[in-house]
Amino acid sequence: MSRPHDTSTAAGGRTGGFKGYRGDLLLQHRALRVMPFDRAGALLGLLLAVVVTATYVLLGNQVTQAWVAVCQAWMSAAQLPAVVSTDPAATWPGLDSLWPHVRIALAPPALSLYTLAGQAFVLAGAFLWQASWPDRAMPLRYIVRILVALQAMILLYFLIWPAHFPYRVLDHTKDISTFNALFIALVPWIWWLTYFPFVRSWPKRLASLALVMGYFLVATPVAVATHATLVHLLGSTLQPLLFLFAGPLLDLLVMLAFYAWTVTWEAPGDWERLALQSRPGRPGA
């Protein structure tokens, strides 16, 4: 039996097939297609990631002040008795530039048995309500159940140890903003490793990177101020749930959504033009 050999052109002008032992044409499966490694593009992408990250780190003081200004404007508009500040000791290692962050000192309302009972009543209502939803809403029902279960455990903690919750609003807001600051610094590297190999157009690369980083730079102080306001209005029992589902997890989901959208800027035809056929294997592979 002779070894199958490449054919440069398949029926209908398609490329990348090979002949079987009977001489008939076998087209290669699209799962075996690969894209050429763009060494120059990878090096330029690495340089871009270094430059963008370094610029962001050096502008840490300016980013921090901008976040403080947004939070102060929010608190003033809402007429909340908050103190917006920064931590002078929070600097990048070996640099005078601040980790971009903001912290808000805002007292939550005092917890009482009536407050806990009211929240428990709302949780029970939410649990009973989701049970009446149709089967097609089952994924959403499970999300509601998880939220209800977690919040029920949080209420139980506050019922047993009401004065021993160690997490202040000041710490919560600083941690949220600090995590976002580190997340923003990682975005150029994540894009270099996972986005640039599939999108070869530099205008699209730059636009996508600027869009994602710009979103988090703007959204971070808004999220921090929103968290502080909700805790001030609804109590400390909301803090754990906000951190778990409206903190790092939400940021990751938003980044994935941006990635899924911006990667579609590269038309499938562009990938087809870049794709190479891998070496032919066994017929039917």
Side-chain angles (χ1 to χ4, degrees):
M1 183 183 296
S2 61
R3 183 177 180 179
H5 59 279
D6 289 324
T7 58
S8 59
T9 306
R14 297 176 63 183
T15 61
F18 56 88
K19 286 185 178 180
Y21 69 96
R22 294 181 179 178
D24 53 339
L25 186 64
L26 302 176
L27 296 179
Q28 193 153 38
H29 195 276
R30 62 186 181 185
L32 300 178
R33 304 186 73 180
V34 297
M35 296 176 65
F37 178 67
D38 183 10
R39 182 175 300 177
L43 292 176
L44 288 175
L46 175 61
L47 178 61
L48 175 66
V50 172
V51 171
V52 171
T53 304
T55 303
Y56 170 68
V57 171
L58 294 176
L59 293 177
N61 295 330
Q62 287 74 14
V63 173
T64 298
Q65 295 306 317
W67 287 359
V68 168
V70 172
C71 290
Q72 286 177 337
W74 180 296
M75 296 299 138
S76 298
Q79 297 181 349
L80 296 178
V83 177
V84 182
S85 62
T86 61
D87 183 1
T91 59
W92 295 97
L95 297 174
D96 293 332
S97 180
L98 287 174
W99 299 84
H101 72 282
V102 61
R103 56 186 187 177
I104 301 176
L106 188 62
L111 283 178
S112 66
L113 188 59
Y114 296 104
T115 303
L116 297 177
Q119 294 186 21
F121 180 79
V122 172
L123 291 179
F127 184 81
L128 294 175
W129 183 41
Q130 62 82 30
S132 65
W133 295 354
D135 291 341
R136 64 176 179 271
M138 187 61 69
L140 186 59
R141 289 173 62 182
Y142 276 108
I143 293 176
V144 174
R145 291 176 185 177
I146 293 173
L147 294 176
V148 168
L150 287 174
Q151 190 63 20
M153 289 188 288
I154 293 168
L155 292 182
L156 181 62
Y157 175 90
F158 277 93
L159 179 63
I160 300 174
W161 300 288
H164 291 80
F165 187 61
Y167 207 42
R168 301 173 299 169
V169 177
L170 187 74
D171 301 322
H172 177 87
T173 52
K174 180 185 175 183
D175 289 346
I176 290 292
S177 61
T178 301
F179 175 85
N180 279 22
L182 295 175
F183 193 73
I184 294 170
L186 289 176
V187 168
W189 301 94
I190 296 173
W191 248 234
W192 174 59
L193 290 172
T194 64
Y195 184 84
F196 289 1
F198 299 103
V199 177
R200 303 298 175 89
S201 168
W202 275 103
K204 294 176 182 177
R205 288 178 172 182
L206 295 174
S208 174
L209 182 60
L211 177 65
V212 177
M213 295 187 68
Y215 167 81
F216 284 110
L217 284 170
V218 173
T220 295
V222 175
V224 169
T226 302
H227 283 212
T229 303
L230 290 176
V231 173
H232 176 73
L233 296 177
L234 302 177
S236 300
T237 55
L238 197 62
Q239 274 183 250
L241 212 60
L242 284 174
F243 187 86
L244 289 174
F245 292 96
L249 177 61
L250 180 61
D251 293 336
L252 179 61
L253 293 177
V254 170
M255 188 200 71
L256 292 176
F258 272 118
Y259 178 89
W261 174 47
T262 57
V263 80
T264 61
W265 294 353
E266 194 83 343
D270 298 333
W271 292 338
E272 291 293 333
R273 286 192 296 272
L274 288 171
L276 297 177
Q277 300 295 335
S278 60
R279 292 182 180 181
R282 293 177 298 176

